[in-house]
Amino acid sequence: QVQLVESGGGSVQAGGSLRLSCTTSPRTYSNNCIGWFRQAPGKEREGVAAIDRTGSTSYAASVKGRFTISKDNTKYTVYLQMNSLKPEDTALYYCATGNGRVIGRVRECTLASVDYNNRGQGTQVTVSS
């Protein structure tokens, strides 16, 4: 059974930081891609960051330079360090796994939710101004 468990959400003031964790089983962790997504009420789901098996990363333009995705292979955990948080970062954040998409001759980890097929329950992040 695929299981992803997120933690680390909370309420912070604008400019603050949070670190989210996504812990999986070894089998789930072996997927090509693990991504972080977010969804706020009334807004489209947004891919935030993704990391592949080699550690290559990709970010949405809205978070680039503020968020960092990383992973610990010994703990089967992917992290999302979020700095300089803004009120517009308020959302339910969840992690998901997928095999990526072949673009050209390379399999890449996109930020499109359609390329991910398993997700966790999510952790709420609330940023106040």
Side-chain angles (χ1 to χ4, degrees):
Q1 183 177 356
V2 176
Q3 186 174 18
L4 300 97
V5 179
E6 302 93 339
S7 62
S11 296
V12 296
Q13 290 192 326
S17 298
L18 285 172
R19 188 177 79 156
L20 306 183
S21 299
C22 170
T23 302
T24 76
S25 65
R27 181 174 181 178
T28 300
Y29 191 79
S30 67
N31 274 258
N32 285 330
C33 307
I34 299 180
W36 281 98
F37 296 82
R38 66 186 181 186
Q39 187 157 24
K43 293 188 177 181
E44 296 268 333
R45 185 181 308 166
E46 179 185 17
V48 175
I51 190 166
D52 71 9
R53 284 181 178 175
T54 70
S56 293
T57 60
S58 56
Y59 297 93
S62 58
V63 306
K64 202 166 187 178
R66 300 188 297 123
F67 290 12
T68 303
I69 189 170
S70 62
K71 61 179 184 173
D72 185 334
N73 294 335
T74 65
K75 297 181 179 179
Y76 307 110
T77 299
V78 173
Y79 302 100
L80 185 68
Q81 177 67 45
M82 306 187 296
N83 298 329
S84 302
L85 282 161
K86 304 175 181 179
E88 51 264 43
D89 293 320
T90 296
L92 179 70
Y93 285 72
Y94 65 92
C95 58
T97 63
N99 288 320
R101 183 191 305 184
V102 176
I103 301 175
R105 295 184 178 182
V106 179
R107 183 174 292 276
E108 297 186 8
C109 296
T110 71
L111 297 178
S113 59
V114 294
D115 293 332
Y116 294 78
N117 46 25
N118 297 295
R119 56 166 287 183
Q121 294 297 312
T123 184
Q124 179 68 35
V125 171
T126 302
V127 184
S128 58
S129 57

